[in-house]
Amino acid sequence: AMSGALQITTALAGSGHECSCVGIPATINNDIPMVDRSLGFNTACTIARDSLKAAYVEATCNANCIGLVKLAGLHSGFLALEATLPMG
């Protein structure tokens, strides 16, 4: 995380090495302002779509069945939205 990047930079600076350290945030929730896609979001959407397809198959193969998939989303819900839109 960002605290790890800060610790690495501080340790290298303390030992006299010049360095630049760049922290790249990653979240499957895609809730970072001013970022179109965060790292891990596309993979999470792909896995979520696979789960939704499997739930759909289970629900339609049997009479009176319901396919239920709970997706992560914290406060934003971008993962649920992006994963379910292509399902039709």
Side-chain angles (χ1 to χ4, degrees), residues 43-59 66-72 79 83-84 87:
T43 303
C45 284
T46 301
I47 300 300
R49 284 186 200 116
D50 292 344
S51 299
L52 290 166
K53 289 175 187 173
Y56 178 79
V57 169
E58 287 292 322
I66 297 172
L68 182 65
V69 177
K70 181 180 178 183
L71 298 174
L79 178 60
T84 56
M87 300 303 291

Side-chain angles (χ1 to χ4, degrees), residues 29 31 71-77:
N29 295 325
D31 55 359
L71 298 174
L74 200 58
H75 301 294
S76 62

Side-chain angles (χ1 to χ4, degrees), residues 27-32 41 72-81:
T27 171
I28 65 167
N29 295 325
N30 201 38
D31 55 359
I32 302 172
F41 182 68
L74 200 58
H75 301 294
S76 62
F78 291 127
L79 178 60
L81 176 70

Side-chain angles (χ1 to χ4, degrees), residues 20-46:
S20 296
C21 189
V22 177
I24 301 173
T27 171
I28 65 167
N29 295 325
N30 201 38
D31 55 359
I32 302 172
M34 297 182 285
V35 174
D36 291 335
R37 302 262 183 200
S38 59
L39 296 175
F41 182 68
N42 285 337
T43 303
C45 284
T46 301

